[in-house]
């Protein structure tokens, strides 16, 4: 597991930012942990935010784009894709990653990337910010979205 080299960051002031967390419904224990981590960071920042649940990781890009087009300053995309015995993992992982990248570039707004691509469920539990987890990828994705939104706001004056 990576985690080494992660930046040590202080909470940011997200007052005035509107953030939409878009989360898939698969692997609910892991996904709920990701959502809880994102919620902690967003609440601490003072940003306003709401949660939208979607069927799975494949649906994250279209809903993230709709949220940004509707006026959100940033989105946080959370999902869990676990490798199985078919190429489905590769297709969904690529579609979610490429789609979310396209959404960010097309809208000019940040998408915090909290989509876990895993070989097994334990890797997700280790990254979901649960009791005993080594990492909190939901919190990291929310922090990245906030920081990027603030940077863009500063650049745009």
């Amino acid at each position: 597991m990576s985690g080494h080299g992660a930046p040590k960051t202080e909470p940011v002031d997200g007052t005035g930012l509107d953030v939409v967390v878009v989360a898939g419904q698969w692997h609910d224990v892991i996904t709920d942990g990701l959502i809880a981590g994102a919620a902690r960071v967003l609440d601490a920042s003072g940003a306003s935010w709401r949660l939208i649940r979607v069927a799975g990781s494949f649906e994250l890009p279209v809903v993230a784009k709709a949220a940004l087009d509707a006026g959100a300053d940033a989105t946080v995309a959370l999902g869990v894709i676990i490798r199985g015995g078919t190429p489905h993992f590769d297709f969904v992982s690529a579609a979610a990653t490429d789609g979310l990248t396209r959404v960010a570039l097309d809208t000019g707004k940040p998408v915090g990337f909290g989509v876990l691509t895993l070989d097994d469920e334990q890797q997700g539990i280790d990254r979901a910010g649960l009791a005993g987890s080594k990492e909190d990828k939901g919190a990291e994705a929310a922090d990245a979205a906030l920081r990027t939104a603030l940077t863009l706001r500063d650049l745009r004056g």
Side-chain angles (χ1 to χ4, degrees), residues 58-91:
F58 187 83
E59 292 75 24
L60 293 171
V62 70
V63 175
K65 184 170 186 321
L68 294 170
D69 287 346
D73 297 303
T75 59
V76 179
L78 304 174
V80 179
I81 309 167
I82 299 179
R83 186 179 305 280
T86 69
H88 180 75
F89 170 89
D90 298 311
F91 299 136

Side-chain angles (χ1 to χ4, degrees), residues 6-59:
K8 303 284 189 233
T9 59
E10 296 296 320
V12 298
D13 182 359
T15 303
L17 292 178
D18 178 37
V19 180
V20 175
V21 176
V22 184
Q25 296 181 31
W26 284 81
H27 308 286
D28 59 340
V29 170
I30 298 168
T31 303
D32 289 349
L34 295 172
I35 293 167
R40 281 190 301 277
V41 168
L42 294 168
D43 287 342
S45 79
S48 66
W49 69 276
R50 62 194 173 285
L51 172 66
I52 299 174
R53 298 300 294 258
V54 298
S57 293
F58 187 83
E59 292 75 24

Side-chain angles (χ1 to χ4, degrees), residues 123-144:
Q123 289 178 341
I125 291 168
D126 289 343
R127 292 169 172 81
L130 302 168
S133 291
K134 297 174 179 116
E135 297 178 272
D136 190 343
K137 295 299 184 184
E140 290 176 20
D143 183 73

Side-chain angles (χ1 to χ4, degrees), residues 101-137:
T101 301
R102 183 173 152 201
V103 167
L105 293 173
D106 288 354
T107 63
K109 296 180 180 181
V111 177
F113 189 80
V115 179
L116 302 184
T117 54
L118 311 166
D119 289 321
D120 56 51
E121 189 174 16
Q122 186 59 52
Q123 289 178 341
I125 291 168
D126 289 343
R127 292 169 172 81
L130 302 168
S133 291
K134 297 174 179 116
E135 297 178 272
D136 190 343
K137 295 299 184 184

